Each structure stands twice: as C-alpha cells, then as structure tokens.
Amino acid sequence: VKSYRFLEAFDDPIELVSHVKLEVVLFQDAVNKFLNRIGLTTGLEGEKQIVILIKESNLSSDNELLFWETMPISETSLIRYFIEEGIPVVRRGLIRYAIPEETVMNAMKGDLSAAFDIGLKAGADIVIVGNATSSLMTDDKNQSQQSVRVAVSVKAVSSHESTLIAAKSDFATASGNEVLASELEAFHRAGKKLTEFLIPAIRKHWEAGNEKKEVNQSVPAPKTDSSPLPWDDL
C-alpha cells in the first residue's frame, strides 16, 4: 500500500460490526508483478502507459483552487484522445496523494527530474506535463457569439529512460452561444492537434525501445571457460 485515507466509518450495533471505507493507492509495480506471478496479465504491456497533468487557467473554473482539486478541460480532452487511440492513461485521482503538488509544479516549470519522478511514482513510462490558458477574444460578453481562444503547451518525457521525447505548443479558437461551450470546443480542437503530434512521437519511442530489446536478446552471451577451477584457486 502506497498511501490511504479514511473516507467514512460507522458501527452497526445490530450486526455488531464496524464498516470502514478507505481510499487506497497501491504500488503499481508490485501489483503488476503479483498478477504476472499468478499468470494474469495486466494489459499494460510493460508499463506502456502515460500520465497527463496540465495546469490550466480558464474562464469557467475557480482558478484559486489547488492543483489536485481541479479537473482541467485540456487535460480531460487529451486523456480522451489518447484512450481512443488505445493508449492506457493513469488518472490523476489514483496518484494525487502519492505525488506532492510541488513536484508537479516543478515539472511544469521545466524541471525534467521532477517529471521523471512523477512517472516512476505513477507507474507510467510517459509523462506529459504542461500549461493551458483560455481567454475571450472580445470584452463584450453580451454578444450573441462568444469567441474563445485557448493555448496549450506540453512536454512529453520518458521516466524510464530519463529523456525528453517531444515538446509542443498549439492554440485553437471556437465560437458559441455561451462562453463555456466555446471554451470546451476550443480546448478539444487544441487537444486534437496536440495528440496528432504527440501520439506518433510516443509510439516511435516505444518502437525504438522494443527494437533495442530485440537486439540485446539476439546478441549471444560471451563464452566462458566452463572447466572447473583447481582446488588451490578456490
């Protein structure tokens, strides 16, 4: 168990039992190894999964909330596109109590070692961190069409190889009858453009890793002298 917290507890005087509800975060490596040991697959292809964490300042949410208390639109959009492409994503709810907010903020400021640490604690090879903002393209909120412009900047790193895989910034605009509708559409458009760049880069990284493994496995082990040592040398 990596961490846990009590959610609720109550006593049943009739059945004479106590009921306790916990939220538990497990060490994913340990779970995967146990499942493999008993013959079950985890379906994660050797931790080929990602974690996406975006710090977002938008028009529709309370920007005074702490990072782990938010659910950024841009992050949700990126997660959706990756899942649609068949790439497993570690959700923030599973890791929020295992990774300090300071570590996430440092990673978003460009500290790659912090990003690597996030991946190792989340059990994910690829870590995508970044920042996102949204703004009205006009100051008049009484217009029938509300135009919103969003900008998203992200970096993708491999926590296993401690390398930067890709970095990308993009923006998008959308117009609708309400600010929220425009904002949602703009973030979805920006997310689509980012994933069209990030997913091929990540898959190329994984394919290169597989090729290295195949090469290493195909190289014969060096021959050693199997003759027994004289007793005097033991």
Side-chain angles (χ1 to χ4, degrees), residues 128-169:
I128 297 176
V129 294
N131 296 274
T133 60
S134 64
S135 58
L136 279 173
M137 298 182 66
T138 174
D139 293 333
D140 188 359
K141 294 186 179 182
N142 296 320
Q143 290 186 353
S144 58
Q145 292 292 307
Q146 300 294 331
S147 296
V148 174
R149 183 183 188 274
V150 304
V152 186
S153 178
V154 297
K155 290 181 180 179
V157 304
S158 169
S159 59
H160 290 171
E161 298 189 8
S162 300
T163 56
L164 175 67
I165 297 173
K168 179 72 171 175
S169 297

Side-chain angles (χ1 to χ4, degrees), residues 73-233:
I73 303 171
S74 54
E75 184 176 311
T76 303
S77 179
L78 286 173
I79 289 173
R80 187 189 74 177
Y81 285 120
F82 273 93
I83 291 176
E84 288 176 353
E85 290 293 325
I87 298 177
V89 180
V90 180
R91 302 302 182 95
R92 65 163 48 203
L94 297 176
I95 60 175
R96 61 175 297 179
Y97 300 107
I99 301 174
E101 182 171 327
E102 182 181 2
T103 300
V104 181
M105 296 299 104
N106 289 338
M108 292 175 179
K109 293 175 182 177
D111 184 347
L112 294 183
S113 63
F116 302 149
D117 186 44
I118 291 172
L120 294 175
K121 289 181 178 178
D125 175 32
I126 306 298
V127 179
I128 297 176
V129 294
N131 296 274
T133 60
S134 64
S135 58
L136 279 173
M137 298 182 66
T138 174
D139 293 333
D140 188 359
K141 294 186 179 182
N142 296 320
Q143 290 186 353
S144 58
Q145 292 292 307
Q146 300 294 331
S147 296
V148 174
R149 183 183 188 274
V150 304
V152 186
S153 178
V154 297
K155 290 181 180 179
V157 304
S158 169
S159 59
H160 290 171
E161 298 189 8
S162 300
T163 56
L164 175 67
I165 297 173
K168 179 72 171 175
S169 297
D170 222 319
F171 69 93
T173 59
S175 299
N177 295 328
E178 298 180 353
V179 171
L180 177 58
S182 301
E183 191 172 45
L184 287 170
E185 179 60 27
F187 273 123
H188 289 327
R189 291 178 183 178
K192 183 173 178 59
K193 290 198 289 185
L194 287 171
T195 50
E196 287 174 349
F197 170 81
L198 293 172
I199 290 177
I202 291 171
R203 284 179 170 161
K204 183 177 179 180
H205 166 76
W206 280 337
E207 290 170 1
N210 290 336
E211 291 175 358
K212 287 181 181 179
K213 289 181 181 179
E214 291 174 359
V215 170
N216 291 335
Q217 291 173 356
S218 64
V219 175
K223 293 183 179 180
T224 59
D225 186 1
S226 59
S227 60
L229 291 172
W231 282 104
D232 293 342
D233 294 338

